Amino acid sequence: MSITAQSVWNNCLNFIQDNIQPQAYKTWFEPIVAVKLSDNALSVQVPSKFFYEWLEEHYVKILKVALRKELGENAKLVYIIKMENTYGNKQPFTERIPSSNRSAVKSQDIDVPLNNKNPQLRNPFVIPGIRNVKIDSQLNPNYNFENFLEGDSNRLARSAGLAVSAKPGGTSFNPLLIFGGVGLGKTHLAHAIGVDIKDKYPEKTVLYISAEKFTQQYIDSVKKNNRNDFIHFYQLIDVLVIDDVQFLSGKSGTQDVFFHIFNHLHQNGKQVILTSDKAPVDMQDIEQRLLSRFKWGLSAELQTPDFETRVSILKNKLYRDGVEMPDDIIEYVAKHIKSNIRELEGAIISLIAQSSFNKKEINIELAKQVVEKFVKNTKREVSIDYIQKIVSDYFQMDVDTLQSKTRKRHIVQARQLAMFFAKKLTKASLASIGSQIGKRDHATVLHACKTVDNLSATDKQFKKYVEDLTKKLSV
Ligand code: ADP
Ligand code: MG
């Protein structure tokens, strides 16, 4: 086989994939296209300048090693940066429909209930003005970049957020999807991006809204027969932030309307920022066409912060509140509350409150009591290994059998049940469940979950399995 840019790059990718986190690989290496090979220089195309800078900053070493393995000591890597913002070039992203036109469009609408004559009042976020219709951004200025501390766990999402706020609609991160578990800073970061954009581009219309509120508004608009106004309103936004899009799952009407709004905004070079508690591959009951759009831009994960980051978040919070606390207490709290920044802050606040109400000094004893309450309240999560063990025991087989490639019905069912419970009882992604239960892919896990749902609705014996196992696995 002759050596081509593609074959060289594929070998590099294989090596890189084995050496970095899957999410990082997906984000930073899958989008790269090998373009040209001449002598010992490989040219690759990257989606943006930010992308190139990120690769240089974080992956230059591994790229060097990989490429030298393929092309020898004198190997060179040449980046080609793809033109950004192809949509925006068609129509500058600063262009907006003048507000006078907006009212004009609305007044044309004849089908308006009498008490709703004033078009400016029909949109939930429109504050009637004399000459201009202004949209309140609903942003919380207390959630900004300055107090969103950086750590390994959020570096990618935070930098991507900064890149977006420097050039809303003008980067390849459109939409920017921020995902991660509860209390890890999704809402804070989403606001911070909006706040920063408002600061840099005061003329832009920015709107923050939770997916839940968006859904409610949509339902209301259907009831009041002004669905078009609803759509029209959202199409005027320059930067739309929708928080917790997982809330849209199963709501096909709202998904449909959001799909149209999204397309309109995206095609006009407007920025969309989304947050979700799951990665796109793990979102269920979201239409495929919408999911595929979520993946157009960048999905950046907020992971659980490491110890150092937890300590600096706490110190920063105390500093801002003007409270002093000994280092050993801060470290004690940071050491014991790991998986949720909101709880971390909650524990510190409760500690301060306890000490001032009871006029007690803040000491390790008090810290222990407070932390214990927080840790107890967070439900213990069972592990996937534990689930596999319980399910195998129940069907009197060993874990290796459960994981094996066999298609024997009772083994397949046991495996599907293990996958179903792993999805239900842990926070692991479909992909990670699959890889831990016999190295299957995420689609297999999704299929297993659906099969278990179906079978337990139709098959009595199977339903009993689910009930028995639920009892055994409850903690
Ligand atoms: P989520 O939306 O992911 O559930 P939030 O954005 O509501 O989480 O964050 C929970 C709390 O943690 C908020 O008070 C937020 O200010 C704080 N927080 C999260 N990440 C950081 C960070 N990197 N630096 C400082 N505070 C943070
Ligand atoms: Mg939130």
Side-chain angles (χ1 to χ4, degrees), residues 142-151 153-154 158 178-191 208 243-244 275-276 302 305 309 312-314 316-317 320 340-345:
N142 295 326
Y143 282 155
N144 50 48
F145 273 115
E146 215 178 306
N147 61 22
F148 189 81
L149 297 201
E150 183 174 342
S153 55
N154 62 32
R158 192 176 186 279
I178 302 161
F179 71 94
V182 181
L184 293 181
K186 301 180 294 292
T187 299
H188 185 143
L189 182 55
H191 276 281
Y208 166 90
D243 204 359
D244 290 320
T275 81
S276 164
L302 288 177
T309 313
S312 38
I313 289 176
L314 285 181
N316 185 263
K317 167 130 192 75
R320 275 183 288 126
N340 184 325
I341 300 173
R342 192 176 299 133
E343 281 178 5
L344 194 63
E345 291 184 340

Short mmCIF file of all heavy atoms in Angstrom, two decimals, residues 142-151 153-154 158 178-191 208 243-244 275-276 302 305 309 312-314 316-317 320 340-345, ligand 1:
data_model
loop_
_atom_site.label_atom_id
_atom_site.label_comp_id
_atom_site.label_asym_id
_atom_site.label_seq_id
_atom_site.Cartn_x
_atom_site.Cartn_y
_atom_site.Cartn_z
N ASN A 142 -24.09 38.19 38.41
CA ASN A 142 -23.21 37.56 39.41
C ASN A 142 -22.54 36.29 38.90
O ASN A 142 -21.63 35.77 39.52
CB ASN A 142 -24.02 37.20 40.66
CG ASN A 142 -24.52 38.44 41.33
OD1 ASN A 142 -23.84 39.46 41.32
ND2 ASN A 142 -25.73 38.37 41.87
N TYR A 143 -23.04 35.78 37.79
CA TYR A 143 -22.38 34.63 37.17
C TYR A 143 -21.51 35.14 36.04
O TYR A 143 -21.99 35.32 34.92
CB TYR A 143 -23.43 33.67 36.61
CG TYR A 143 -24.11 32.79 37.64
CD1 TYR A 143 -25.39 32.26 37.38
CD2 TYR A 143 -23.50 32.44 38.83
CE1 TYR A 143 -26.02 31.44 38.30
CE2 TYR A 143 -24.12 31.61 39.75
CZ TYR A 143 -25.38 31.12 39.48
OH TYR A 143 -25.99 30.28 40.38
N ASN A 144 -20.26 35.40 36.32
CA ASN A 144 -19.39 35.91 35.26
C ASN A 144 -18.11 35.09 35.17
O ASN A 144 -17.89 34.16 35.95
CB ASN A 144 -19.09 37.39 35.50
CG ASN A 144 -18.62 37.63 36.92
OD1 ASN A 144 -17.75 36.91 37.42
ND2 ASN A 144 -19.22 38.60 37.59
N PHE A 145 -17.28 35.45 34.19
CA PHE A 145 -16.04 34.68 34.01
C PHE A 145 -15.07 34.89 35.16
O PHE A 145 -14.35 33.99 35.55
CB PHE A 145 -15.35 35.07 32.69
CG PHE A 145 -15.85 34.29 31.52
CD1 PHE A 145 -16.53 34.92 30.48
CD2 PHE A 145 -15.64 32.92 31.45
CE1 PHE A 145 -16.99 34.18 29.40
CE2 PHE A 145 -16.10 32.18 30.37
CZ PHE A 145 -16.77 32.82 29.34
N GLU A 146 -15.09 36.11 35.68
CA GLU A 146 -14.14 36.44 36.73
C GLU A 146 -14.30 35.49 37.92
O GLU A 146 -13.31 35.06 38.50
CB GLU A 146 -14.39 37.87 37.18
CG GLU A 146 -13.14 38.61 37.57
CD GLU A 146 -13.53 40.03 37.93
OE1 GLU A 146 -14.18 40.70 37.09
OE2 GLU A 146 -13.21 40.44 39.04
N ASN A 147 -15.52 35.19 38.29
CA ASN A 147 -15.68 34.29 39.44
C ASN A 147 -15.99 32.85 39.03
O ASN A 147 -16.42 32.05 39.83
CB ASN A 147 -16.71 34.83 40.44
CG ASN A 147 -18.09 34.99 39.83
OD1 ASN A 147 -18.40 34.34 38.83
ND2 ASN A 147 -18.92 35.83 40.42
N PHE A 148 -15.73 32.54 37.77
CA PHE A 148 -15.80 31.14 37.34
C PHE A 148 -14.36 30.63 37.29
O PHE A 148 -13.64 30.83 36.32
CB PHE A 148 -16.46 31.02 35.96
CG PHE A 148 -16.74 29.59 35.56
CD1 PHE A 148 -17.87 28.93 36.03
CD2 PHE A 148 -15.87 28.90 34.74
CE1 PHE A 148 -18.13 27.62 35.67
CE2 PHE A 148 -16.12 27.58 34.37
CZ PHE A 148 -17.26 26.94 34.84
N LEU A 149 -13.92 29.99 38.37
CA LEU A 149 -12.51 29.64 38.48
C LEU A 149 -12.14 28.53 37.52
O LEU A 149 -12.91 27.60 37.29
CB LEU A 149 -12.19 29.21 39.91
CG LEU A 149 -12.38 30.27 40.98
CD1 LEU A 149 -11.57 29.92 42.21
CD2 LEU A 149 -11.99 31.66 40.49
N GLU A 150 -10.92 28.65 37.01
CA GLU A 150 -10.47 27.68 36.02
C GLU A 150 -9.77 26.50 36.70
O GLU A 150 -9.09 26.66 37.70
CB GLU A 150 -9.48 28.39 35.08
CG GLU A 150 -9.00 27.50 33.97
CD GLU A 150 -8.15 28.25 32.94
OE1 GLU A 150 -8.21 29.49 32.89
OE2 GLU A 150 -7.43 27.56 32.20
N GLY A 151 -9.97 25.32 36.14
CA GLY A 151 -9.27 24.12 36.61
C GLY A 151 -9.25 23.13 35.46
O GLY A 151 -9.88 23.37 34.44
N SER A 153 -10.78 20.53 35.15
CA SER A 153 -12.11 19.97 34.90
C SER A 153 -12.96 20.83 33.98
O SER A 153 -13.92 20.36 33.40
CB SER A 153 -12.84 19.81 36.23
OG SER A 153 -12.85 21.06 36.91
N ASN A 154 -12.63 22.13 33.89
CA ASN A 154 -13.50 23.00 33.08
C ASN A 154 -12.74 23.80 32.04
O ASN A 154 -13.29 24.68 31.41
CB ASN A 154 -14.28 23.95 34.00
CG ASN A 154 -13.35 24.88 34.80
OD1 ASN A 154 -12.29 25.27 34.33
ND2 ASN A 154 -13.77 25.23 35.99
N ARG A 158 -14.49 26.35 29.47
CA ARG A 158 -14.27 27.76 29.80
C ARG A 158 -13.60 28.48 28.62
O ARG A 158 -14.02 29.57 28.23
CB ARG A 158 -13.42 27.86 31.06
CG ARG A 158 -13.36 29.24 31.66
CD ARG A 158 -12.55 29.22 32.97
NE ARG A 158 -12.61 30.51 33.63
CZ ARG A 158 -11.84 31.53 33.30
NH1 ARG A 158 -10.98 31.41 32.32
NH2 ARG A 158 -11.96 32.67 33.94
N ILE A 178 -22.57 22.90 26.42
CA ILE A 178 -21.84 22.64 27.66
C ILE A 178 -22.58 21.55 28.39
O ILE A 178 -23.77 21.69 28.66
CB ILE A 178 -21.81 23.91 28.53
CG1 ILE A 178 -21.18 25.08 27.77
CG2 ILE A 178 -21.09 23.64 29.84
CD1 ILE A 178 -21.52 26.43 28.36
N PHE A 179 -21.90 20.43 28.65
CA PHE A 179 -22.63 19.38 29.36
C PHE A 179 -21.85 18.89 30.58
O PHE A 179 -20.64 19.06 30.66
CB PHE A 179 -23.01 18.22 28.43
CG PHE A 179 -21.85 17.38 27.97
CD1 PHE A 179 -21.51 16.22 28.66
CD2 PHE A 179 -21.11 17.73 26.86
CE1 PHE A 179 -20.44 15.42 28.24
CE2 PHE A 179 -20.04 16.94 26.43
CZ PHE A 179 -19.71 15.79 27.12
N GLY A 180 -22.58 18.30 31.52
CA GLY A 180 -21.94 17.80 32.73
C GLY A 180 -22.97 17.58 33.82
O GLY A 180 -24.12 17.97 33.68
N GLY A 181 -22.54 16.96 34.91
CA GLY A 181 -23.46 16.59 35.99
C GLY A 181 -24.01 17.79 36.75
O GLY A 181 -23.65 18.94 36.49
N VAL A 182 -24.86 17.48 37.68
CA VAL A 182 -25.53 18.51 38.47
C VAL A 182 -24.53 19.31 39.31
O VAL A 182 -23.62 18.75 39.91
CB VAL A 182 -26.52 17.85 39.46
CG1 VAL A 182 -27.26 18.90 40.27
CG2 VAL A 182 -27.48 16.96 38.71
N GLY A 183 -24.72 20.61 39.33
CA GLY A 183 -23.92 21.46 40.22
C GLY A 183 -22.48 21.63 39.81
O GLY A 183 -21.63 21.98 40.63
N LEU A 184 -22.18 21.42 38.53
CA LEU A 184 -20.79 21.55 38.10
C LEU A 184 -20.51 22.86 37.37
O LEU A 184 -19.42 23.06 36.87
CB LEU A 184 -20.39 20.36 37.22
CG LEU A 184 -20.33 19.02 37.96
CD1 LEU A 184 -19.89 17.90 37.03
CD2 LEU A 184 -19.38 19.10 39.15
N GLY A 185 -21.52 23.73 37.27
CA GLY A 185 -21.23 25.06 36.74
C GLY A 185 -21.77 25.35 35.35
O GLY A 185 -21.39 26.34 34.74
N LYS A 186 -22.69 24.53 34.84
CA LYS A 186 -23.21 24.77 33.49
C LYS A 186 -23.95 26.10 33.41
O LYS A 186 -23.71 26.90 32.51
CB LYS A 186 -24.17 23.64 33.07
CG LYS A 186 -23.54 22.26 33.08
CD LYS A 186 -24.53 21.19 32.65
CE LYS A 186 -25.68 21.00 33.62
NZ LYS A 186 -25.31 20.42 34.92
N THR A 187 -24.85 26.30 34.36
CA THR A 187 -25.64 27.54 34.34
C THR A 187 -24.73 28.76 34.54
O THR A 187 -24.85 29.76 33.83
CB THR A 187 -26.72 27.48 35.43
OG1 THR A 187 -27.58 26.37 35.14
CG2 THR A 187 -27.54 28.75 35.47
N HIS A 188 -23.82 28.64 35.46
CA HIS A 188 -22.89 29.74 35.72
C HIS A 188 -22.12 30.10 34.45
O HIS A 188 -22.07 31.26 34.04
CB HIS A 188 -21.93 29.31 36.84
CG HIS A 188 -21.00 30.39 37.30
ND1 HIS A 188 -20.62 30.55 38.59
CD2 HIS A 188 -20.36 31.38 36.62
CE1 HIS A 188 -19.79 31.58 38.71
NE2 HIS A 188 -19.61 32.09 37.51
N LEU A 189 -21.56 29.10 33.79
CA LEU A 189 -20.75 29.36 32.60
C LEU A 189 -21.61 29.93 31.46
O LEU A 189 -21.20 30.85 30.76
CB LEU A 189 -20.05 28.07 32.15
CG LEU A 189 -19.13 28.17 30.94
CD1 LEU A 189 -18.06 29.24 31.13
CD2 LEU A 189 -18.46 26.82 30.66
N ALA A 190 -22.81 29.41 31.32
CA ALA A 190 -23.69 29.90 30.25
C ALA A 190 -24.01 31.38 30.46
O ALA A 190 -23.96 32.18 29.52
CB ALA A 190 -24.98 29.07 30.21
N HIS A 191 -24.29 31.76 31.71
CA HIS A 191 -24.53 33.18 32.01
C HIS A 191 -23.26 33.99 31.73
O HIS A 191 -23.33 35.07 31.14
CB HIS A 191 -24.91 33.37 33.48
CG HIS A 191 -26.38 33.15 33.75
ND1 HIS A 191 -27.32 34.11 33.47
CD2 HIS A 191 -27.04 32.10 34.27
CE1 HIS A 191 -28.52 33.64 33.82
NE2 HIS A 191 -28.38 32.42 34.31
N TYR A 208 -31.07 34.75 27.79
CA TYR A 208 -30.89 33.51 28.53
C TYR A 208 -32.26 32.96 28.90
O TYR A 208 -33.13 33.70 29.38
CB TYR A 208 -30.09 33.75 29.82
CG TYR A 208 -30.17 32.58 30.78
CD1 TYR A 208 -29.22 31.56 30.73
CD2 TYR A 208 -31.20 32.46 31.70
CE1 TYR A 208 -29.30 30.47 31.57
CE2 TYR A 208 -31.30 31.36 32.55
CZ TYR A 208 -30.34 30.37 32.47
OH TYR A 208 -30.44 29.28 33.31
N ASP A 243 -30.75 26.80 28.64
CA ASP A 243 -30.19 26.02 29.74
C ASP A 243 -30.97 24.72 29.92
O ASP A 243 -32.20 24.72 29.85
CB ASP A 243 -30.28 26.87 31.02
CG ASP A 243 -29.25 26.44 32.07
OD1 ASP A 243 -28.49 25.49 31.81
OD2 ASP A 243 -29.21 27.08 33.14
N ASP A 244 -30.26 23.64 30.14
CA ASP A 244 -30.86 22.34 30.43
C ASP A 244 -31.73 21.81 29.29
O ASP A 244 -32.91 21.47 29.49
CB ASP A 244 -31.67 22.40 31.73
CG ASP A 244 -30.78 22.53 32.96
OD1 ASP A 244 -29.73 21.87 32.98
OD2 ASP A 244 -31.11 23.32 33.86
N THR A 275 -26.93 24.13 27.27
CA THR A 275 -26.35 23.30 28.32
C THR A 275 -27.23 22.06 28.47
O THR A 275 -28.41 22.07 28.12
CB THR A 275 -26.29 23.98 29.70
OG1 THR A 275 -27.58 23.89 30.32
CG2 THR A 275 -25.87 25.44 29.60
N SER A 276 -26.60 21.01 28.98
CA SER A 276 -27.33 19.76 29.14
C SER A 276 -26.65 18.92 30.21
O SER A 276 -25.45 19.05 30.42
CB SER A 276 -27.33 19.00 27.81
OG SER A 276 -27.71 17.66 28.04
N LEU A 302 -18.11 19.67 31.39
CA LEU A 302 -17.64 20.12 32.70
C LEU A 302 -17.51 18.88 33.56
O LEU A 302 -18.49 18.18 33.81
CB LEU A 302 -18.64 21.09 33.34
CG LEU A 302 -18.74 22.47 32.72
CD1 LEU A 302 -19.81 23.29 33.41
CD2 LEU A 302 -17.40 23.20 32.80
N PRO A 305 -14.49 18.72 39.58
CA PRO A 305 -13.23 19.43 39.80
C PRO A 305 -12.29 18.63 40.69
O PRO A 305 -12.73 17.89 41.57
CB PRO A 305 -13.69 20.71 40.52
CG PRO A 305 -14.99 20.38 41.14
CD PRO A 305 -15.63 19.35 40.27
N THR A 309 -8.79 22.60 42.60
CA THR A 309 -9.82 23.50 42.09
C THR A 309 -10.91 23.70 43.14
O THR A 309 -11.40 24.81 43.34
CB THR A 309 -10.44 22.94 40.79
OG1 THR A 309 -9.38 22.52 39.94
CG2 THR A 309 -11.28 23.98 40.10
N SER A 312 -9.66 26.17 45.58
CA SER A 312 -9.64 27.57 45.14
C SER A 312 -11.05 28.12 44.96
O SER A 312 -11.27 29.31 45.20
CB SER A 312 -8.77 27.79 43.90
OG SER A 312 -8.87 26.75 43.02
N ILE A 313 -12.00 27.29 44.57
CA ILE A 313 -13.38 27.79 44.48
C ILE A 313 -13.86 28.23 45.86
O ILE A 313 -14.44 29.30 46.03
CB ILE A 313 -14.32 26.71 43.88
CG1 ILE A 313 -14.02 26.52 42.39
CG2 ILE A 313 -15.79 27.07 44.09
CD1 ILE A 313 -14.80 25.41 41.71
N LEU A 314 -13.58 27.41 46.87
CA LEU A 314 -14.00 27.76 48.23
C LEU A 314 -13.33 29.03 48.72
O LEU A 314 -13.97 29.93 49.27
CB LEU A 314 -13.69 26.61 49.19
CG LEU A 314 -14.62 25.40 49.11
CD1 LEU A 314 -14.22 24.36 50.13
CD2 LEU A 314 -16.08 25.82 49.32
N ASN A 316 -12.08 31.43 47.00
CA ASN A 316 -12.59 32.58 46.27
C ASN A 316 -13.94 33.03 46.81
O ASN A 316 -14.21 34.21 46.99
CB ASN A 316 -12.68 32.22 44.79
CG ASN A 316 -13.07 33.39 43.94
OD1 ASN A 316 -14.24 33.55 43.61
ND2 ASN A 316 -12.11 34.22 43.60
N LYS A 317 -14.79 32.05 47.09
CA LYS A 317 -16.12 32.37 47.61
C LYS A 317 -16.01 33.07 48.96
O LYS A 317 -16.65 34.09 49.21
CB LYS A 317 -16.94 31.07 47.71
CG LYS A 317 -18.21 31.20 48.50
CD LYS A 317 -19.38 30.62 47.73
CE LYS A 317 -20.71 30.98 48.35
NZ LYS A 317 -21.12 32.35 48.11
N ARG A 320 -14.75 36.60 48.55
CA ARG A 320 -15.79 37.52 48.06
C ARG A 320 -16.80 37.86 49.14
O ARG A 320 -17.35 38.95 49.19
CB ARG A 320 -16.49 36.93 46.83
CG ARG A 320 -15.75 37.21 45.53
CD ARG A 320 -16.50 36.69 44.32
NE ARG A 320 -16.45 35.23 44.25
CZ ARG A 320 -17.52 34.46 44.16
NH1 ARG A 320 -18.72 34.99 44.13
NH2 ARG A 320 -17.38 33.15 44.10
N ASN A 340 -19.90 17.87 43.47
CA ASN A 340 -20.92 18.86 43.20
C ASN A 340 -20.51 20.19 43.83
O ASN A 340 -20.39 20.30 45.04
CB ASN A 340 -22.24 18.34 43.81
CG ASN A 340 -23.40 19.25 43.51
OD1 ASN A 340 -23.28 20.47 43.44
ND2 ASN A 340 -24.57 18.64 43.32
N ILE A 341 -20.28 21.19 42.98
CA ILE A 341 -19.78 22.47 43.47
C ILE A 341 -20.86 23.20 44.28
O ILE A 341 -20.58 23.90 45.23
CB ILE A 341 -19.26 23.34 42.31
CG1 ILE A 341 -18.12 22.60 41.61
CG2 ILE A 341 -18.79 24.70 42.80
CD1 ILE A 341 -17.62 23.24 40.37
N ARG A 342 -22.11 22.98 43.89
CA ARG A 342 -23.19 23.62 44.64
C ARG A 342 -23.20 23.13 46.09
O ARG A 342 -23.35 23.91 47.02
CB ARG A 342 -24.54 23.35 43.96
CG ARG A 342 -25.66 24.22 44.52
CD ARG A 342 -26.95 24.00 43.78
NE ARG A 342 -26.85 24.34 42.37
CZ ARG A 342 -27.28 23.57 41.39
NH1 ARG A 342 -27.86 22.42 41.66
NH2 ARG A 342 -27.15 23.95 40.14
N GLU A 343 -23.01 21.83 46.26
CA GLU A 343 -22.96 21.28 47.63
C GLU A 343 -21.73 21.76 48.39
O GLU A 343 -21.78 22.00 49.59
CB GLU A 343 -22.96 19.75 47.58
CG GLU A 343 -24.34 19.21 47.35
CD GLU A 343 -24.34 17.69 47.26
OE1 GLU A 343 -23.28 17.06 47.45
OE2 GLU A 343 -25.42 17.14 46.97
N LEU A 344 -20.65 21.90 47.65
CA LEU A 344 -19.42 22.38 48.25
C LEU A 344 -19.66 23.77 48.85
O LEU A 344 -19.33 24.04 50.00
CB LEU A 344 -18.36 22.44 47.16
CG LEU A 344 -16.89 22.60 47.53
CD1 LEU A 344 -16.44 21.39 48.32
CD2 LEU A 344 -16.05 22.72 46.26
N GLU A 345 -20.28 24.63 48.05
CA GLU A 345 -20.59 25.98 48.52
C GLU A 345 -21.60 25.92 49.65
O GLU A 345 -21.51 26.65 50.63
CB GLU A 345 -21.15 26.83 47.38
CG GLU A 345 -20.14 27.16 46.33
CD GLU A 345 -20.71 28.08 45.24
OE1 GLU A 345 -21.96 28.16 45.11
OE2 GLU A 345 -19.93 28.72 44.56
P1 ADP B 1 -25.25 23.39 37.07
O1 ADP B 1 -25.99 24.37 36.22
O2 ADP B 1 -24.21 22.61 36.30
O3 ADP B 1 -26.10 22.48 37.89
P2 ADP B 1 -24.42 25.78 38.47
O4 ADP B 1 -23.93 26.58 37.32
O5 ADP B 1 -25.73 26.14 39.03
O6 ADP B 1 -24.37 24.22 38.12
O7 ADP B 1 -23.28 25.82 39.60
C1 ADP B 1 -23.49 25.47 40.94
C2 ADP B 1 -22.74 26.41 41.85
O8 ADP B 1 -21.35 26.20 41.73
C3 ADP B 1 -22.99 27.87 41.50
O9 ADP B 1 -23.10 28.59 42.69
C4 ADP B 1 -21.73 28.28 40.76
O10 ADP B 1 -21.44 29.66 40.94
C5 ADP B 1 -20.68 27.42 41.40
N1 ADP B 1 -19.59 27.09 40.47
C6 ADP B 1 -19.60 26.13 39.53
N2 ADP B 1 -18.44 26.09 38.87
C7 ADP B 1 -17.67 27.06 39.40
C8 ADP B 1 -16.35 27.52 39.14
N3 ADP B 1 -15.58 26.96 38.19
N4 ADP B 1 -15.88 28.53 39.89
C9 ADP B 1 -16.64 29.08 40.85
N5 ADP B 1 -17.88 28.70 41.14
C10 ADP B 1 -18.41 27.69 40.44
#
